[in-house]
Amino acid sequence: MSQQPSVCIVGAGAVGLATAVHLTRRGVTDVTVLEADHIAAGSSGLSVGIIETQYVTPLDIELRVRAMGFFADLERDHGLHVTRNGYLRLAHSAEQLESFERSVEIQRSLGVADARVLDAAGVGRLVPEMRVDDVDGGLFGPGDGFIDGHLYCALLGELLEAQGVRLLARHKVEEIESPPGGGHLVRTSRGEFRCDYVVNAAGAWGDHVARAAGMEMPLAPQRHEAIVVHLEQALPYVVPSVMDYTPHSGETGLYFRHERAGQMIAGLHSEEATEGVADPDDYARSARPDFIEEVAEKIASRLPGVGDPGLAHGWAGLYPVSPDGVPQVGPSPGSDTIIVAGGAGGSGIQLSPVMGELAADWILHGEPRSIGDGGRLSPRRASLRTAAETA
Ligand SMILES: Cc1cc2nc3c(=O)[nH]c(=O)nc-3n(C[C@H](O)[C@H](O)[C@H](O)COP(=O)(O)OP(=O)(O)OC[C@H]3O[C@@H](n4cnc5c(N)ncnc54)[C@H](O)[C@@H]3O)c2cc1C
């Protein structure tokens, strides 16, 4: 292998593009992004774009704090538009509130000074239209926000093209060969490419691309919908992103965020696989009536102060969910030079910078250097196999 490896990245979504950015920042010049459709054609162009650090486990928090640094750099240096409306995670038990207190300590130790725990009254002051009599409090990050997935990917694409990266739309990867002499031959719908490393950043299509290389990737693409909420009257402040989901509850929870004056976006979130596995090439793209009804009911219950909003312009996309709920970044089980970067579920926009950084680590150093515990995302971990077998 030459001193700097040549890399083919499959997928021009947030994760594939961020991987390419980290490689070029570290001096890798021979990078080709192969995209079946166009930039952000997959989940990244269908997301709600929330970026935040209000998680509870040390690894979840560390990954997101590092990612927020990347977004802040893009905001400062390249004009990425980040709406910093804040993020509020609701607690429904004393145990959850305790875990929020620990989260604040961890975030402080990582330099996030403004995260704080609110009691129910504090939550009510933040969003006066919200019902809080059944809430124990919340975890609030005032510096969190949201971005537009399309604009984010387009910006990464511009930065990459300025670095000489080949960004090839309508190049669907159909077969990945690994000849005995080393390296890979990637056959696409529009020609062949040779490279030392392949990065599988194909989102919900991750298993399809793994199979093109004769392997498998445990993945459960889950259909998730979002919808625009048209308020009767614009609120006199910018609503934070509010998440009313209890992790590992096995249920979906309501979330909503500011969109523009008089409009919010709402959806139902889960970090687990709660639906049947969706086919990324064939799933219903618009919001179903039962989803709209459930969101309307949940908004009426959680936000009685907004009156009777209209729900319209819904859409559906896919969360690329790992069977054990943890993203996958690292060498695939079948090859040291086919790197997986996927399975980020409903957090793939906010995690894309750090997943890209870890993928670049594996290519350049053979280990995840940017995050001490980054090895826990390895696609070779036992928990992934076990979860896939029991799913
Ligand atoms: C409704 C909704 C709301 C969401 N909200 C948020 C949020 O608020 N915050 C957040 O962080 N995340 C959110 N997500 C999740 C997030 O969108 C995904 O986790 C993330 O976009 C995954 O990025 P990716 O790059 O892995 O995949 P993708 O964006 O899907 O990119 C994969 C790319 O690979 C390409 N591809 C597939 N097969 C091939 C092939 N054979 N050859 C070449 N190219 C191929 C596809 O065309 C696609 O462009 C949301 C998702 C949905 C559906």
Short mmCIF file of all heavy atoms in Angstrom, two decimals, residues 1 20 53 68 94 102 107 116 134 247 308:
data_model
loop_
_atom_site.label_atom_id
_atom_site.label_comp_id
_atom_site.label_asym_id
_atom_site.label_seq_id
_atom_site.Cartn_x
_atom_site.Cartn_y
_atom_site.Cartn_z
N MET A 1 0.84 -1.20 0.00
CA MET A 1 0.00 0.00 0.00
C MET A 1 0.88 1.25 0.00
O MET A 1 1.90 1.29 0.66
CB MET A 1 -0.87 -0.02 1.26
CG MET A 1 -1.97 1.00 1.27
SD MET A 1 -2.80 1.06 2.87
CE MET A 1 -3.41 -0.61 3.03
N ALA A 20 -15.17 11.54 4.66
CA ALA A 20 -14.28 12.10 3.63
C ALA A 20 -13.61 13.38 4.13
O ALA A 20 -12.41 13.59 3.91
CB ALA A 20 -15.07 12.37 2.35
N THR A 53 -26.42 17.31 23.02
CA THR A 53 -25.56 16.46 23.85
C THR A 53 -26.30 15.92 25.09
O THR A 53 -25.67 15.43 26.02
CB THR A 53 -24.31 17.24 24.32
OG1 THR A 53 -24.72 18.37 25.08
CG2 THR A 53 -23.48 17.70 23.15
N MET A 68 -20.36 18.12 18.35
CA MET A 68 -20.81 19.52 18.40
C MET A 68 -19.66 20.47 18.10
O MET A 68 -19.88 21.56 17.55
CB MET A 68 -21.42 19.84 19.78
CG MET A 68 -22.80 19.26 20.01
SD MET A 68 -24.05 19.78 18.81
CE MET A 68 -24.76 21.18 19.62
N ALA A 94 -37.74 9.90 39.35
CA ALA A 94 -36.61 10.42 40.13
C ALA A 94 -35.30 9.81 39.62
O ALA A 94 -34.26 10.48 39.58
CB ALA A 94 -36.81 10.08 41.60
N ARG A 102 -26.11 13.32 36.63
CA ARG A 102 -24.80 12.74 36.26
C ARG A 102 -24.40 13.22 34.86
O ARG A 102 -23.23 13.49 34.60
CB ARG A 102 -24.86 11.21 36.30
CG ARG A 102 -24.88 10.65 37.72
CD ARG A 102 -24.59 9.16 37.72
NE ARG A 102 -25.61 8.39 37.03
CZ ARG A 102 -26.76 7.98 37.57
NH1 ARG A 102 -27.02 8.27 38.83
NH2 ARG A 102 -27.64 7.28 36.88
N GLN A 107 -21.00 16.27 31.18
CA GLN A 107 -20.91 17.33 30.16
C GLN A 107 -19.98 18.45 30.62
O GLN A 107 -19.17 18.95 29.85
CB GLN A 107 -22.30 17.88 29.86
CG GLN A 107 -23.20 16.87 29.16
CD GLN A 107 -24.45 17.51 28.59
OE1 GLN A 107 -24.37 18.39 27.75
NE2 GLN A 107 -25.61 17.08 29.05
N ARG A 116 -27.97 21.94 32.08
CA ARG A 116 -28.44 21.96 33.47
C ARG A 116 -29.72 21.16 33.63
O ARG A 116 -30.46 20.94 32.66
CB ARG A 116 -28.63 23.40 33.95
CG ARG A 116 -29.60 24.23 33.12
CD ARG A 116 -29.68 25.64 33.70
NE ARG A 116 -30.68 26.44 33.04
CZ ARG A 116 -30.46 27.22 31.99
NH1 ARG A 116 -29.24 27.29 31.47
NH2 ARG A 116 -31.43 27.93 31.46
N ASP A 134 -47.13 15.97 35.17
CA ASP A 134 -46.70 14.57 35.17
C ASP A 134 -45.20 14.46 34.88
O ASP A 134 -44.70 13.39 34.55
CB ASP A 134 -47.48 13.78 34.11
CG ASP A 134 -47.22 14.30 32.70
OD1 ASP A 134 -46.76 15.46 32.56
OD2 ASP A 134 -47.44 13.55 31.73
N PRO A 247 -35.52 6.51 27.16
CA PRO A 247 -34.67 5.51 26.50
C PRO A 247 -34.94 4.10 27.03
O PRO A 247 -35.20 3.91 28.21
CB PRO A 247 -33.25 5.96 26.84
CG PRO A 247 -33.38 7.42 27.10
CD PRO A 247 -34.73 7.62 27.70
N ASP A 308 -55.50 24.32 19.05
CA ASP A 308 -55.82 23.23 18.12
C ASP A 308 -54.99 23.39 16.84
O ASP A 308 -55.49 23.90 15.83
CB ASP A 308 -57.33 23.29 17.82
CG ASP A 308 -57.77 22.09 17.01
OD1 ASP A 308 -57.01 21.10 16.97
OD2 ASP A 308 -58.85 22.15 16.41
#
